[in-house]
Amino acid sequence: LNGNPSRYVLRLSGTLKSPKMSFHPPFLMLMPVPLDVETEGVITIIPQDFLRPSRIRVKLPELELADGTRTCPFSVQFPEGQNIVLSSDGTANELICHISFKSSKPMSFLGEMLFIDQEEN
């Protein structure tokens, strides 16, 4: 500025987008099956607004049976991996997730599974 009393103001604005995931289908209904028979469904996880690669993990619900014992009859597999990989254009790969249920005792369940990234989003 060399002694010039003029002031310059620089204004910046921006939008911060939080990473999120959408699911297709948005909910999953597994078919009733006989005891000790596995049933399975497949969902596609669509990551959006991720700024860096991340790894998805799943918190499965633990259920309490009528006799007081606790069990987790669900299992989850990612056949193509559970890493969110960003491409050069900023989009992220979709993840395929197989969710299965098997129980030796009769039960039904309506609830949520939590899909979480490395930063607990």
Side-chain angles (χ1 to χ4, degrees), residues 45-88:
I45 302 170
I46 305 153
Q48 298 169 321
D49 300 325
F50 277 78
L51 299 176
R52 58 185 154 271
S54 191
R55 185 172 178 83
I56 300 300
R57 63 184 176 89
V58 184
K59 287 180 78 173
L60 298 173
E62 191 175 274
L63 310 176
E64 185 171 341
L65 302 175
D67 65 3
T69 59
R70 299 188 72 75
T71 184
C72 183
F74 297 99
S75 64
V76 173
Q77 292 183 333
F78 293 87
E80 299 170 11
Q82 57 198 91
N83 292 327
I84 294 175
V85 179
L86 302 176
S87 65
S88 59

Side-chain angles (χ1 to χ4, degrees), residues 4-16:
N4 187 347
S6 300
R7 292 186 179 202
Y8 293 91
V9 176
L10 178 63
R11 294 178 193 218
L12 301 174
S13 66
T15 303
L16 177 62

Side-chain angles (χ1 to χ4, degrees), residues 31-45:
M31 299 305 297
V33 291
L35 296 177
D36 286 323
V37 174
E38 186 174 80
T39 183
E40 181 180 83
V42 177
I43 60 170
T44 302
I45 302 170

